[in-house]
Amino acid sequence: MKNKLWGGRFSKKTNPLVEEFTKSIQFDKKLAEYDCMGSLAHINVLKKAKLLSAEEHKELESGLEGILSSIRKGSFKIDDSFEDIHSYVQHLLEKKAGKVALKLHTCRSRNDQVVFDTKMYCVKNAAYTLNLFSDLGKVLDKLAKNNAGQVIAGYTHMQHAMPISLQDYLGAYSEMLKRDSNRIDNASKGISLTLGSGAIAGTFIDAEKYSSPAVNSIDTVSDRDFVIEILSALAITGMHLSRLAEDLILWSTKEFDFIDIDEAFCTGSSLMPQKKNPDALELIRGNTGKLYGNLMSVLVMMKGLPLSYNRDMQLDKEPLFESFEIIQKELKIMVALLPEIKFNKKNIARQLEDESLYATDLADYLVQNKVVFKDAHAIIGRLVKTGKEIKKMSSAELKKFHPALNSKVVNKIIDPKQSVASKKSVKRKKR
Ligand code: ARG
């Protein structure tokens, strides 16, 4: 391994197994941009503290900006033989700016640097993810609007429950996703980006020289609660997306046949020629395991760690990166897939013909005609139990169950639109 930041007290070479085992550049290369941004902030502090002359500052600044622009342009090449991204950026700066680069690490430790970089990564990725949430919110709203007035059978325990509007059904996911995006926003807003913690105790530079000095250096280098909060918000988002995915998978089965998922979002079978499988949605459902696992792995890794920085904490990055990447991909797929869904109105209507869906409406009608609810429940229970088509029963037959029932009344009540319209307890948002 080249150019270690810590070679001085060592006379032996690191065992290659240990070198391979401890390095992090293969994943923390994703922090390159934020590492340069942190270094740019750090050189300002060094200049204010008179540890860098204006000229030295300028040289380092232009070197760091050069590296930063190569990262942003995509021409940045990583040399995986370095220990971590911090060592590699230092090496590049030495190549660009020469000897002055040796001053960059003055009053700084990677313990502080890595937490700064990871926090910047979280803030940037949270902002990007929030935009994707907003795209998905718009897509759900549009789908609801385009299908305004569409009623579907609502299920509890996977059994026919009551008619509901498709708008409300999609609106339920909009509400969940709004809370998810708020959780990510709040976790991001709670992150305080500080510098000046050094390895554990702070440094000799006056806090006034920093634009955002650390409040407590030990806490700063020790904690990863911000990672855990983000991972938790992403795990909950994944859970919601998995439920949406599962509903769509079920609805696309021959048994339901409520929707058709566009071919572009499905794959086929190598053996069965007829197959069109909803694999993208299945993987959205399946990824939830990874999202929960990533949260668990960081929670467990942090448990019982003595203060302050310990190398264990290097293991927060892969779960964090993976969870963000999974959710970003899933949100993008949902944004593309949902507008292409075709609703099979015939089959949706067929399910709504099941009169048991209106049993509660019939009981409610009796309650509104002064029948005690428990009695109304029992009366309609008996009516349903006959197994006869209620709409076809004569008024005389219906009256045997209760005098307030007759054929005109049941025909009015057993109607999908009427059923949905009769529910007034919810303040539906106007779309
Ligand atoms: N790769 C390390 C991490 O992710 C960077 C900090 C290393 N600090 C140290 N003193 N070895 O946590």
Side-chain angles (χ1 to χ4, degrees), residues 24 28 84 86 110-111 114 309 311 313-314 317:
S24 56
D28 67 19
D84 54 30
H86 323 295
R110 284 176 297 168
N111 299 356
V114 75
Y309 177 81
R311 192 63 175 266
M313 287 177 337
Q314 175 167 297
K317 274 161 222 67

Side-chain angles (χ1 to χ4, degrees), residues 59-274:
E59 281 174 54
L60 290 178
E61 189 180 48
S62 86
L64 284 165
E65 270 165 2
I67 301 171
L68 198 53
S69 94
S70 75
I71 297 167
R72 288 179 178 157
K73 280 201 302 241
S75 55
F76 183 68
K77 298 239 168 346
I78 288 280
D79 180 347
D80 267 6
S81 67
F82 282 80
E83 181 182 354
D84 54 30
I85 191 63
H86 323 295
S87 319
Y88 185 52
V89 170
Q90 170 74 39
H91 162 81
L92 290 180
L93 196 62
E94 282 171 27
K95 266 200 349 201
K96 270 180 183 278
K99 255 183 124 182
V100 62
L102 303 179
K103 290 191 172 181
L104 175 68
H105 215 56
T106 313
C107 289
R108 189 166 70 161
S109 158
R110 284 176 297 168
N111 299 356
D112 196 26
Q113 217 178 333
V114 75
V115 85
F116 178 92
D117 295 2
T118 311
K119 283 178 173 175
M120 280 282 308
Y121 171 91
C122 286
V123 170
K124 290 271 168 171
N125 276 276
Y128 180 67
T129 312
L130 291 187
N131 280 331
L132 299 176
F133 270 109
S134 139
D135 292 347
L136 182 52
K138 282 183 204 143
V139 162
L140 280 167
D141 276 357
K142 191 148 182 237
L143 196 60
K145 215 183 206 165
N146 291 346
N147 291 282
Q150 177 67 54
V151 179
I152 58 169
Y155 295 76
T156 63
H157 310 264
M158 282 307 288
Q159 305 291 321
H160 273 186
M162 294 165 88
I164 53 171
S165 83
L166 180 60
Q167 246 182 328
D168 285 345
Y169 175 86
L170 296 170
Y173 282 109
S174 296
E175 292 302 313
M176 295 175 212
L177 292 164
K178 253 183 251 163
R179 289 195 297 278
D180 292 333
S181 92
N182 282 342
R183 262 184 286 270
I184 290 173
D185 196 21
N186 288 336
S188 171
K189 282 182 184 143
I191 290 175
S192 66
L193 272 168
T194 65
L195 284 177
S197 292
I200 169 170
T203 75
F204 65 78
I205 299 175
D206 195 324
E208 278 172 21
K209 305 281 186 288
Y210 290 91
S211 52
S212 53
V215 175
N216 184 303
S217 60
I218 309 164
D219 170 48
T220 304
V221 299
S222 297
D223 211 357
R224 293 295 183 270
D225 55 355
F226 66 97
V227 173
I228 293 168
E229 277 193 67
I230 294 269
L231 285 175
S232 161
L234 293 171
I236 298 171
T237 305
M239 177 266 290
H240 286 148
L241 291 176
S242 81
R243 296 187 72 179
L244 177 55
E246 172 64 0
D247 275 346
L248 298 175
I249 292 168
L250 276 177
W251 284 7
S252 71
T253 58
K254 272 260 158 65
E255 285 67 23
F256 272 84
D257 211 1
F258 281 5
I259 57 166
D260 182 61
I261 299 168
D262 194 84
E263 273 182 25
F265 300 93
C266 299
T267 67
S269 155
S270 57
L271 182 74
M272 297 169 281
Q274 85 283 12

